[in-house]
Amino acid sequence: MRQALLAAQAAGDLPPFELPPTLPIQRSARPELGDYASPAPLQLAKLARRKPLEVAEIIVRHTPHSPLVAAWEVAPPGFLNIRLDETWLLEQINTIIAAGDDVFALDIGRGKRAQVECVSANPTGPLTVGHTRNGVIGSTMANLLRALGYDVQMEYYFNNAGRQMRILGQSLQARYLQTLGQPVPLPEEGYQGEYLIQVARDLVKQYGDTLKDEGWERFKVEAEKAMFAWIDRSLARINIRFDVYFNENSLYEDSSVWKTLEALEQRGYVYRAVLREGAGDEERAKLPPDAKEAVWFRSTALGDEEDRVLVKSSGEPTYVLPDIAYHVNKLERGFDYLINVLGADHIVEAQTVARGLTALGYDASRVHVILYQFVTLIEGGEQRKMSTRRGEFVTQDELVDDVGADVVRYFILARSPNSHLEFDLDLARKQANENPVYYIQNAHVRCAGIFRQAAERGLTDDGADLSLLGARERDFVRKMLEMPEVLLQSYEELAPHKLAFYAHELARLFHPMYDEVRVLHSDVPPELAKARLRLYGAARVVFRRLLTLMGMSAPEVM
RNA sequence: GUGCCUGUAGCUCAGUGGAUAGAGCGCUUGCCUACGGAGCAAGAUGUCGGGGGUUCGAAUCCCUCCAGGCACGCCA
């Protein structure tokens, strides 16, 4: 279209004017008018000082011929409608089947290295539904990046050095002694969940009472081991696997935390003060008289509202400093494209890290943050607030036990990360049999069923004449061909939910077709059956690809 | 108070500058000689939170107000 406009200007049919950087073209909202549509003439009318319809006609006149396009048509008030060439369209069925499991792979990444960091829950307990949302979003993006030609690594970042881990160790110690019959109370703010009792019992089984004089540190190690084993198993159940577990502590061991601080200081982003620069009287008044100096990050120089503390007056770093050091580490490892999946409450953290990277001269735009809103659990019509420490939560395992891994993944994926996820447990349990998940998976099952039956009857799609396929089948092919566009959009907008919606839309075209377009029916002539069989072969490939990208199973039978 | 997210059908949510705003669930009415019916066909349901503006064109962009969630620590 750009060529056509330039040609028209060269020929004097349109006055010279600068073309906008992109010309809009999208899937037609009205399929009967064409496959793709562009409102470009409406936009260009003013620049060209011609009526939109005239612009449209001029564009059509100067458009070069393409084998993909059968016709360019002009529609009032100034739309350009584009119709795909039918022969090309039908040929895509063969292209899809030939591509198989790699169908619609694009090489956007060109082998560049990408990393997805997600879940990253500290090993203080079982995963909750909030972590599940994090992991499902992250792992789906990882799958998507692989399909787009990136070399992808999944990373889990954790901290096993903090106060919470100490309390966990002490809690396990108490549970262990309790299991041995000693009336030891849980520490204050200890972890009350049942799961520690089970870990304690396992310890007694393994070690007897030989650990009774050990300190809490020993129990921390045991607790961490047990928690990670649990976390791994839970994640594997919903198709999430990590390549790297990165311990925050290693950033202290190789002193990169302090190197990061030095680098920031060298670049003039650090100062020492009791109070941040620009603090108001209120903050000043709250300050204790014996307050000591802290180390501050001058993030306001990079647009922040206020400076942030890097090192407390106690000499201990805040979470901000190691977090910046961690991201420096990631970038230094040579990743070109990073995704970081975070709950919405971490927004300030994400911004501060980005500013830290900018301050250090790194390209912060390589770090893509997906912030997701909270998961609310509804049970018995009431919200359930979650607290890991009190042991009041619905774990991922409970949820998966209830409704199945595929349902959990789909429920989460079928919502924009920006949207609060209201997970009605009762409904999810009740609806387990009447769920969009099964609707989509059943499309794949039905394809598989046709091929099973065809094999029994000795029917193959050898020599299929695709031109025999009717309008309904062709519409389905058009829909399948939207998939690359969906993949690209999901990637560019960090919007994995688009996959879920597309999968459902495709299934919604599939089932009516399946009902009407039979393969193995007595009044379907053999030639037609072959063509249809091949079409269903392509459908099977596409559904399998979609389900796999979403981390769901593609069953052969229900 | 300030910042971010959200407000679309009875409920849960898509759609973020284009033509007549869409799905699922629920509701109504049909369809079983079934390549696994977890299906198909038909139907009802909307002040796109309110108001103003920009534009040839606004659910979508801007302003403002209202409502809900989250964040505003020398906690992680």
Side-chain angles (χ1 to χ4, degrees):
Chain A
M1 183 152 41
R2 183 171 295 276
Q3 277 177 28
L5 285 160
L6 293 172
Q9 288 181 332
D13 287 348
L14 286 175
F17 59 86
E18 201 178 325
L19 296 181
T22 57
L23 295 167
I25 186 155
Q26 59 217 202
R27 274 214 333 108
S28 181
R30 301 180 62 181
E32 70 277 15
L33 297 179
D35 296 312
Y36 290 86
S38 173
L42 285 165
Q43 289 180 357
L44 297 172
K46 194 174 269 180
L47 286 168
R49 272 167 284 153
R50 303 287 290 268
K51 288 176 186 166
L53 283 174
E54 289 175 16
V55 176
E57 272 161 24
I58 291 166
I59 292 173
V60 171
R61 211 181 307 144
H62 288 276
T63 297
H65 177 77
S66 156
L68 276 65
V69 177
W72 293 73
E73 285 150 16
V74 174
F79 286 97
L80 262 180
N81 290 318
I82 299 155
R83 217 176 279 280
L84 288 175
D85 182 77
E86 297 282 318
T87 309
W88 178 85
L89 183 82
L90 292 170
E91 184 52 33
Q92 299 314 301
I93 293 173
N94 293 326
T95 307
I96 288 169
I97 293 170
D101 284 346
D102 292 326
V103 69
F104 297 135
L106 301 167
D107 201 13
I108 306 295
R110 297 176 185 280
K112 281 191 276 189
R113 298 182 64 214
Q115 191 223 50
V116 177
E117 185 221 318
C118 59
V119 184
S120 295
N122 289 338
T124 55
L127 296 175
T128 67
V129 178
H131 301 128
T132 311
R133 187 173 199 187
N134 191 317
V136 168
I137 291 171
S139 58
T140 303
M141 286 308 296
N143 295 343
L144 184 60
L145 288 172
R146 282 189 199 101
L148 297 181
Y150 280 96
D151 175 16
V152 186
Q153 191 179 77
M154 285 276 283
E155 184 154 310
Y156 190 117
Y157 180 61
F158 70 99
N159 174 329
N160 64 353
R163 177 173 167 271
Q164 293 306 322
M165 288 300 294
R166 191 191 76 222
I167 296 174
L168 182 76
Q170 291 168 340
S171 302
L172 179 60
Q173 185 179 32
R175 291 301 193 198
Y176 174 77
L177 296 173
Q178 284 172 5
T179 308
L180 292 175
Q182 299 186 24
V184 182
L186 270 184
E188 227 167 285
E189 298 183 88
Y191 289 86
Q192 296 179 20
E194 293 281 316
Y195 55 92
L196 280 184
I197 299 174
Q198 189 54 50
V199 176
R201 283 185 189 143
D202 291 345
L203 282 181
V204 169
K205 214 176 286 172
Q206 197 179 345
Y207 297 102
D209 66 354
T210 58
L211 301 180
K212 65 179 189 300
D213 296 322
E214 296 276 357
W216 63 266
E217 294 88 346
R218 174 62 201 273
F219 289 93
K220 193 198 93 169
V221 171
E222 293 295 337
E224 180 180 336
K225 214 190 293 175
M227 289 308 122
F228 263 127
W230 193 350
I231 288 169
D232 278 350
R233 201 169 44 224
S234 300
L235 289 173
R237 289 184 76 191
I238 57 168
N239 261 321
I240 300 176
R241 276 164 238 282
F242 287 91
D243 304 301
V244 174
Y245 291 80
F246 192 102
N247 189 342
E248 180 185 326
N249 206 37
S250 68
L251 297 168
Y252 290 94
E253 283 163 3
D254 68 3
S255 71
S256 51
V257 167
W258 305 112
K259 284 180 195 154
T260 300
L261 182 63
E262 266 172 50
L264 280 169
E265 192 153 23
Q266 271 168 22
R267 288 169 174 265
Y269 283 98
V270 170
Y271 61 91
R272 282 151 227 280
V274 171
L275 204 61
R276 69 178 175 92
E277 287 174 4
D281 292 340
E282 216 172 298
E283 276 173 71
R284 199 169 298 278
K286 266 192 277 182
L287 211 62
D290 59 343
K292 292 189 209 139
E293 278 191 337
V295 181
W296 296 82
F297 172 33
R298 190 175 279 113
S299 53
T300 47
L302 296 163
D304 205 349
E305 286 167 15
E306 56 184 74
D307 295 336
R308 312 282 167 181
V309 174
L310 293 171
V311 183
K312 303 181 218 170
S313 47
S314 66
E316 217 182 331
T318 60
Y319 70 92
V320 174
L321 186 57
D323 220 3
I324 295 172
Y326 174 51
H327 281 82
V328 167
N329 179 295
K330 288 204 253 189
L331 288 171
E332 288 292 339
R333 273 187 272 161
F335 292 111
D336 303 289
Y337 188 98
L338 295 168
I339 287 182
N340 205 348
V341 185
L342 294 172
D345 52 334
H346 288 83
I347 180 156
V348 175
E349 175 182 346
Q351 287 169 345
T352 309
V353 167
R355 290 191 175 103
L357 291 175
T358 305
L360 292 170
Y362 290 96
D363 180 5
S365 70
R366 287 189 186 181
V367 182
H368 299 82
V369 177
I370 301 181
L371 289 168
Y372 62 93
Q373 299 294 318
F374 281 145
V375 179
T376 318
L377 288 159
I378 311 279
E379 189 170 34
E382 280 184 23
Q383 268 195 26
R384 270 175 81 159
K385 283 274 179 188
M386 292 181 293
S387 156
T388 309
R389 211 182 310 116
R390 285 203 306 274
E392 288 173 9
F393 46 73
V394 174
T395 65
Q396 176 182 297
D397 286 340
E398 282 181 89
L399 196 61
V400 173
D401 289 342
D402 270 346
V403 298
D406 288 336
V407 173
V408 168
R409 285 200 68 116
Y410 186 83
F411 261 56
I412 288 171
L413 275 178
R415 265 157 194 75
S416 156
N418 276 339
S419 183
H420 295 252
L421 171 51
E422 214 163 271
F423 211 121
D424 188 326
L425 289 168
D426 304 315
L427 201 68
R429 288 166 190 146
K430 232 186 298 174
Q431 285 189 339
N433 282 339
E434 267 187 309
N435 209 290
V437 178
Y438 301 105
Y439 188 73
I440 296 165
Q441 287 181 323
N442 194 33
H444 185 264
V445 167
R446 285 178 143 180
C447 291
I450 293 172
F451 277 86
R452 256 197 319 276
Q453 288 286 326
E456 277 173 30
R457 302 185 196 186
L459 176 72
T460 70
D461 65 357
D462 291 342
D465 176 6
L466 294 173
S467 69
L468 297 173
L469 294 174
R472 180 151 240 167
E473 299 91 294
R474 290 167 193 231
D475 283 345
F476 184 78
V477 175
R478 286 186 173 86
K479 190 74 186 173
M480 287 197 292
L481 293 179
E482 284 176 30
M483 185 160 158
E485 206 179 316
V486 172
L487 297 183
L488 262 180
Q489 269 190 26
S490 304
Y491 159 71
E492 282 167 1
E493 298 169 24
L494 301 169
H497 69 282
K498 285 180 189 278
L499 284 175
F501 279 88
Y502 172 70
H504 192 263
E505 283 170 24
L506 192 64
R508 224 161 38 78
L509 279 186
F510 176 89
H511 288 295
M513 176 173 80
Y514 174 90
D515 220 47
E516 189 184 288
V517 182
R518 304 264 165 148
V519 177
L520 305 164
H521 196 272
S522 50
D523 38 83
V524 177
E527 286 311 304
L528 192 55
K530 276 179 184 293
R532 290 176 172 180
L533 187 62
R534 182 162 298 179
L535 170 74
Y536 285 112
R540 174 159 73 164
V541 166
V542 172
F543 278 114
R544 170 190 282 283
R545 173 70 142 160
L546 275 168
L547 288 164
T548 307
L549 280 171
M550 292 192 286
M552 296 164 63
S553 61
E556 301 275 314
V557 288
M558 278 295 193

